[in-house]
Amino acid sequence: MSTSTPASAQALHQRFADLFARIAEGAIARESERRLPTEEVRQLKESGFTALRVPVEHGGGGVSLADYFSLLIRLGEAESNLPQILRVNAGFTELLQERRDDADTRRWLKVIGSGQTFGAAASERTGTTSNSVVLEQDASGQLRLNGEKYYSTGTLYADWILARGHDHESDLNVIVHVNAPGVERVDDWDGFGQRLTGSGTTRFHNVPVQADQILDRYQLSQPRRNTIITSFYQTFHLATLAGIARAALRDAIAFTRPRSRTFGVPGQSVPRENPLVHRVVGRLSSLAWSAEQLTLAIAREQDALNEARRAGSATTEDYNLLDIRTFEAQQIVIGQVLEATTLLFEVGGASATSQALRLDRHWRNARTLASHNPVTQREAAIGNFHLNGEAHNERFGHGYV
């Protein structure tokens, strides 16, 4: 797929600065009330944010991955639920751009370019990784989709659902409109962090499906090859985590500056003049900067590999190495952000734990994101690659990681 010359990150930041500021202003209230950010998602769609990676010829912004992830970090700083809500839509955009350039690819890129978004119905809540959603013909010959998925991130806010099913011959990606008869979306995600992502249950009750809603067939047991999708989805989490680290730094500064008393120091002792507080804020700044730079380094490698793919020079070894580099960044960024979201409380004593501030949301959100993909398994994959030259074989995804 062709892309235009990407806009600069600075220009993108300026373009979305006011919207992100408004989103950040309501973050604490939404968290306290558990109010779903439906309006904020609508504004992001209308602003063109959800179509930034769609090529210009299909109605999007055509921006580079490095610029896109730089902006996504700022959205994560404003409200970390929002990047995760839009993660599947972004991943589907990348999947389409790696896909063959046919009518289906162009059709769905134009749908995303128009501001419509996709949510996921891919993961199982059962004790098996098999695919329990079934596509079958009824007595009249109409295709019907039946079954249930969990961790349906973003589906509550989406226009379309990218569902993983099977028809007894193969696994397949099925695209279903959220308002199709028989689609049920349930807000039953009960994680202690990322509480507003809509990562709950999606059920399909005899949902009618046309042949052109079946995008691809594949075997779920087979690993993906020569794709940036695993790296992309993990970098999406890293960008959100980097945004949380920036938010922790922002809130530490905002909390400290107006205070006029330092714990354990007699008389008036302004915390912002205390060298120990300087150290905490200095450490927070360093952690946030490092997490952002590692994330953007991976994004630049993805851009370079996409260019190599378009030039016909990308190799399987290149894709394998990109996955490993992403996992290596994961090991560091997760630790840095969890440290930052804990260290934040060292600037203010017990008053920093006030529920009115909701500073705890940063750690809860970071911990929840860090738990999505077991870092110990990624660490083992890194070691096996370097010791034995064995590639990481990502299964069970085919566009959803």
Side-chain angles (χ1 to χ4, degrees):
M1 308 298 298
S2 62
T3 59
S4 69
T5 301
S8 71
Q10 182 178 4
L12 282 174
H13 292 178
Q14 292 173 349
R15 172 182 166 186
F16 289 95
D18 289 344
L19 175 56
F20 289 2
R22 293 195 300 272
I23 287 171
E25 287 174 2
I28 293 176
R30 287 190 297 273
E31 176 74 18
S32 299
E33 301 163 12
R34 201 185 178 279
R35 176 167 54 84
L36 299 180
T38 305
E39 174 61 18
E40 289 73 17
V41 172
R42 183 190 65 78
Q43 292 174 6
L44 286 167
K45 291 180 183 182
E46 291 181 351
S47 73
F49 180 87
T50 58
L52 284 173
R53 280 287 297 156
V54 174
V56 171
E57 60 264 34
H58 298 306
V63 306
S64 69
L65 283 166
D67 286 350
Y68 177 72
F69 279 119
S70 179
L71 186 65
L72 191 72
I73 289 169
R74 297 306 191 273
L75 178 60
E77 177 184 1
E79 165 66 274
S80 68
N81 288 279
L82 287 167
Q84 193 174 358
I85 287 168
L86 300 174
R87 181 171 176 258
V88 170
N89 184 72
F92 187 41
T93 303
E94 297 307 310
L95 191 69
L96 288 169
Q97 295 198 74
E98 288 187 335
R99 195 177 179 274
R100 60 187 176 276
D101 185 9
D102 62 10
D104 284 337
T105 296
R106 294 187 292 272
R107 172 191 177 186
W108 296 113
L109 280 172
K110 288 177 181 177
V111 167
I112 300 171
S114 74
Q116 298 180 63
T117 59
F118 287 75
S123 300
E124 305 286 343
R125 205 176 190 181
T126 61
T128 177
T129 54
S130 62
N131 198 341
S132 64
V133 170
V134 179
L135 184 69
E136 296 178 304
Q137 284 188 345
D138 63 17
S140 69
Q142 170 68 60
L143 291 169
R144 301 278 180 180
L145 193 67
N146 283 281
E148 178 178 300
K149 296 289 187 179
Y150 192 62
Y151 301 118
S152 305
T153 303
T155 299
L156 285 178
Y157 308 90
D159 303 283
W160 298 87
I161 302 171
L162 190 58
R164 180 193 294 155
H166 72 96
D167 63 357
H168 305 298
E169 294 181 10
S170 69
D171 298 291
L172 36 82
N173 291 335
V174 184
I175 298 174
V176 180
H177 198 274
V178 295
N179 294 327
V183 173
E184 180 186 6
R185 297 172 290 166
V186 185
D187 182 20
D188 58 350
W189 165 242
D190 64 352
F192 63 64
Q194 297 296 94
R195 299 171 65 233
L196 309 180
T197 57
S199 301
T201 301
T202 301
R203 298 189 181 100
F204 303 102
H205 307 282
N206 288 317
V207 177
V209 172
Q210 302 303 316
D212 65 357
Q213 293 174 247
I214 301 172
L215 184 62
D216 287 307
R217 292 179 176 274
Y218 56 89
Q219 296 299 325
L220 193 59
S221 60
Q222 297 298 313
R224 288 189 302 270
R225 296 292 187 192
N226 292 8
T227 174
I228 72 162
I229 291 299
T230 294
S231 175
F232 178 86
Y233 272 121
Q234 299 313 313
T235 307
F236 215 90
H237 278 330
L238 296 183
T240 309
L241 285 164
I244 291 172
R246 287 182 58 91
L249 172 63
R250 175 202 66 202
D251 289 352
I253 293 170
F255 179 85
T256 303
R257 276 180 174 163
R259 292 176 64 79
S260 60
R261 184 171 68 88
T262 301
F263 172 78
V265 178
Q268 189 174 27
S269 175
V270 180
R272 68 176 180 273
E273 296 176 356
N274 188 313
L276 297 180
V277 177
H278 294 173
R279 288 191 63 185
V280 173
V281 174
R283 178 68 177 169
L284 283 171
S285 178
S286 302
L287 291 167
W289 179 85
S290 179
E292 182 167 359
Q293 296 310 308
L294 278 171
T295 301
L296 295 179
I298 298 300
R300 288 190 290 270
E301 291 198 26
Q302 291 169 357
D303 275 328
L305 189 49
N306 276 343
E307 287 296 326
R309 174 178 57 81
R310 286 189 283 269
S313 60
T315 67
T316 297
E317 289 72 22
D318 293 331
Y319 287 100
N320 291 341
L321 184 58
L322 175 65
D323 283 350
I324 295 301
R325 290 288 180 253
T326 307
F327 299 161
E328 288 170 339
Q330 216 173 17
Q331 301 300 312
I332 306 305
V333 170
I334 286 173
Q336 289 175 329
V337 178
L338 290 175
E339 179 186 348
T341 54
T342 301
L343 187 62
L344 163 63
F345 293 93
E346 297 300 327
V347 299
S351 57
T353 66
S354 168
Q355 292 215 40
L357 299 173
R358 291 287 178 180
L359 296 180
D360 62 303
R361 76 186 189 278
H362 298 315
W363 181 88
R364 289 187 289 102
N365 292 340
R367 181 64 267 176
T368 301
L369 285 166
S371 299
H372 280 359
N373 302 100
V375 292
T376 52
Q377 292 187 12
R378 304 301 197 195
E379 195 169 48
I382 296 166
N384 192 32
F385 175 83
H386 287 299
L387 287 170
N388 302 310
E390 292 189 17
H392 169 72
N393 288 328
E394 186 74 65
R395 293 179 172 86
F396 318 127
H398 295 269
Y400 318 88
V401 203

